[in-house]
Amino acid sequence: MLLTHLSTIKKNKFFIYVAVSIAVIMLLLPFFSMGQDPTGAATGTIKDLGVDTLAATQDTALNKIVSTVNTIGNADGHNKIAINIMWTLITGFLVMFMQAGFAMVETGFTQKKNVAHTMLMNFLIYGIGMLGFWIIGFAIMFGGAINPATLGGAPGVVGHEITVHLFGHDFGISGAAGAFLSSKYYDVGVYTLFLFQMVFMDTTATIPTGSMAERWTLKSFVIYGFFISMFVYPLFGNWVWGGGWLSTLGANFGLGHGHVDFAGSSVVHMVGGVAALAGAKVIGPRIGKYGPNGEVNTIPGHNIPMAIIGTFILAFGWFGFNPGSTLAAGDFRVSIVAVNTMLASAAGAFAALLYMYARGQKADPGMVVNGMLAGLVAITAPCAFVTAISSVIIGAIAGLLVIFVYNFIDRKLKIDDPVGAFAVHGANGAWGVLSLGLFADGSYGDGWNGVAGPVKGLFYGDGKQFVAQLIGTITCFVFVYFVMYFFFKILNKIVPLRSKPEDEVNGLDIPETGVHGYVD
């Protein structure tokens, strides 16, 4: 009887807590539903066409003409912003679909016994990352530049950047506006930016699921997902895209246009790749990967067709990734960006193939696939600033670099990375931003990061731009690697990173998910 009574009390307390929580949420709801421009009705005026509102005169007939011109101009300004918003949303949808590509590539390159586990990690990170970015990540990353002109937005949406003053200059280190997308930021322009940038963040967060696959516990993975989406990715992203200190190296110190990364070779891919390297180092190699005398044993993937289809999905999604980063359909550079993206991907795959033939090897589909992905990663930063020939060169070097780096990591450092996540995303993310500092031809980017004139690389007369790219690359590696390395070390003390040996040997599907990926 006593146990029954206690159980009843606990149940009643639970329902009381739920009722109180719902009441609090209902009371706070109005504060999260009042905004600047939630309908979009106030977004876009004649000013967005570069024309100020025409002033009235004393002449009645002339006033009618002025009024008509203002009306047409306001409609055109509104349509311009509407087109940019629709373009950005659609390209964001393409990037979101890349999550399916990552899931298929990583699952195809891993073993059959871990299919459900690998797929679930790639699925879960979408929702976990989104929530983390919504809670505070977006605010940290874009709180200082929350209302881009190309997406309109209401004048009342004001950002705030936390800065430190050093060497006579302000250094932005973190945004501080937009947490939870609260009522102050209930605006169509802000929401558009959130969606587009959220799916970029998810690309970063999903990369370590490949390097730590087949031995990572789901509980520790969930904690990781919130950490990288709320803090690590947003901080570096702020420094490059949110008005932070790397973006102002040009304005403050005359280093070109500061660290420039058009669509995320460093912000997205290098951050994810370096985090993947740190995680793989901490978690250790899979059982059987390395022999007692240091010999390297290949653990083949179970489904090459799945990996190749996933790569095609990723290549398709990259047309949202790179061209979408204009945030403006009216930016005619979109076509240059798209073609450069295609060419670099082709060059990467073909260079990897030629290298294997030159070494007397067969055409390993895994290396050809990674060659294409490496080309895509590398061209992501410079795609808007380089010619077609430069894109092919950048992609070809990436296709070779991915093989060299993968072999070095796998055979020399003895770090087990099942899908080559660091070689593809980390090394070639670095190569991408450095290549911009070499090949940017000065045909685009006037005013980028507040610096007059187009973006030029070393080969076109501006060696200082390469210095800015080098500073950003080193900063990314040092910051992300050490933060993520110590994060994984500490997390492992609290929630074990690695699955039990017997579970790893038998497969993680049943121990971690309770279901088989394949039912034979």
Side-chain angles (χ1 to χ4, degrees):
M1 290 294 292
L2 178 60
L3 291 176
T4 304
H5 184 63
L6 289 174
S7 176
T8 304
I9 291 174
K10 288 180 179 179
K11 288 180 180 179
N12 289 338
K13 282 186 176 180
F14 172 76
F15 287 118
I16 291 171
Y17 291 150
V18 170
V20 171
S21 299
I22 293 173
V24 170
I25 291 172
M26 294 300 291
L27 288 172
L28 291 176
L29 192 60
F31 297 99
F32 286 86
S33 59
M34 299 163 52
Q36 304 299 323
D37 185 22
T39 67
T43 298
T45 67
I46 192 173
K47 293 181 180 180
D48 291 302
L49 300 175
V51 180
D52 208 340
T53 304
L54 300 179
T57 69
Q58 298 295 323
D59 189 293
T60 303
L62 186 57
N63 277 342
K64 291 182 179 180
I65 296 175
V66 169
S67 178
T68 301
V69 171
N70 281 334
T71 300
I72 295 173
N74 286 335
D76 284 348
H78 184 93
N79 288 340
K80 175 186 175 182
I81 298 300
I83 291 170
N84 289 345
I85 286 177
M86 184 53 66
W87 164 253
T88 305
L89 289 175
I90 290 173
T91 54
F93 303 155
L94 285 176
V95 177
M96 179 269 176
F97 190 54
M98 290 175 71
Q99 199 66 37
F102 277 113
M104 295 185 74
V105 169
E106 293 177 10
T107 303
F109 282 153
T110 51
Q111 298 171 89
K112 178 182 177 182
K113 62 186 179 181
N114 300 313
V115 167
H117 180 262
T118 305
M119 274 284 184
L120 184 59
M121 284 197 298
N122 280 273
F123 179 81
L124 275 176
I125 197 61
Y126 175 70
I128 292 169
M130 185 192 307
L131 291 174
F133 201 60
W134 168 70
I135 291 167
I136 193 65
F138 180 68
I140 290 174
M141 188 166 179
F142 287 102
I146 202 166
N147 203 13
T150 56
L151 301 179
V157 178
V158 179
H160 176 64
E161 180 79 6
I162 298 172
T163 61
V164 294
H165 192 75
L166 296 170
F167 313 113
H169 299 285
D170 288 330
F171 288 72
I173 57 173
S174 174
F180 294 100
L181 293 180
S182 62
S183 60
K184 291 182 180 179
Y185 313 103
Y186 187 24
D187 175 85
V188 292
V190 174
Y191 275 46
T192 302
L193 181 65
F194 173 82
L195 183 145
F196 188 73
Q197 295 300 337
M198 188 285 296
V199 291
F200 270 51
M201 175 279 306
D202 244 22
T203 297
T204 295
T206 204
I207 291 170
T209 62
S211 71
M212 300 170 71
E214 306 197 280
R215 65 240 197 246
W216 197 358
T217 60
L218 281 174
K219 290 178 181 178
S220 64
F221 163 77
V222 168
I223 298 172
Y224 148 82
F226 279 106
F227 182 73
I228 197 167
S229 64
M230 294 172 70
F231 303 111
V232 180
Y233 172 83
L235 275 172
F236 187 76
N238 174 269
W239 300 345
V240 180
W241 288 345
W245 68 276
L246 285 173
S247 68
T248 58
L249 289 175
N252 286 341
F253 300 103
L255 297 178
H257 287 67
H259 183 75
V260 176
D261 185 350
F262 186 76
S265 286
S266 64
V267 175
V268 177
H269 295 282
M270 191 177 176
V271 170
V274 174
L277 180 67
K281 175 66 174 176
V282 174
I283 202 170
R286 290 168 291 175
I287 295 172
K289 174 63 179 177
Y290 300 109
N293 298 319
E295 63 270 21
V296 180
N297 301 315
T298 299
I299 301 178
H302 84 287
N303 196 324
I304 295 300
M306 178 187 288
I308 291 178
I309 292 172
T311 302
F312 272 122
I313 292 174
L314 288 171
F316 176 65
W318 237 284
F319 289 123
F321 215 98
N322 289 1
S325 292
T326 58
L327 301 182
D331 187 342
F332 295 154
R333 200 68 175 184
V334 166
S335 60
I336 303 291
V337 172
V339 171
N340 285 345
T341 300
M342 294 175 66
L343 290 172
S345 70
F350 192 57
L353 176 67
L354 289 181
Y355 176 80
M356 287 182 287
Y357 279 158
R359 294 291 302 271
Q361 301 170 352
K362 296 186 184 297
D364 180 355
M367 285 301 181
V368 176
V369 160
N370 277 343
M372 173 171 281
L373 294 176
L376 288 165
V377 168
I379 200 62
T380 295
C383 55
F385 305 98
V386 300
T387 65
I389 293 175
S390 295
S391 298
V392 171
I393 294 171
I394 292 168
I397 292 174
L400 299 176
L401 184 62
V402 70
I403 296 176
F404 300 152
V405 173
Y406 176 78
N407 288 335
F408 179 75
I409 295 293
D410 189 52
R411 299 173 183 176
K412 299 298 182 182
L413 298 184
K414 298 291 192 295
I415 297 176
D416 184 16
D417 183 349
V419 304
F422 176 75
V424 172
H425 300 278
N428 280 289
W431 164 235
V433 287
L434 292 176
S435 70
L436 185 153
L438 297 173
F439 291 98
D441 67 349
S443 62
Y444 184 72
D446 187 13
W448 198 273
N449 285 335
V451 178
V455 177
K456 293 182 180 179
L458 177 63
F459 297 156
Y460 292 85
D462 189 359
K464 292 182 178 179
Q465 184 62 56
F466 182 77
V467 174
Q469 300 304 105
L470 186 61
I471 292 173
T473 303
I474 294 172
T475 299
C476 183
F477 185 88
V478 172
F479 168 70
V480 176
Y481 185 82
F482 282 101
V483 169
M484 292 307 302
Y485 181 85
F486 286 111
F487 166 77
F488 283 126
K489 279 287 190 181
I490 295 170
L491 178 60
N492 192 41
K493 300 291 185 182
I494 304 169
V495 180
L497 285 180
R498 186 152 188 156
S499 58
K500 297 176 182 177
E502 58 270 25
D503 292 341
E504 183 180 337
V505 170
N506 294 325
L508 299 182
D509 283 359
I510 293 298
E512 290 285 339
T513 72
V515 299
H516 288 293
Y518 298 123
V519 179
D520 294 328

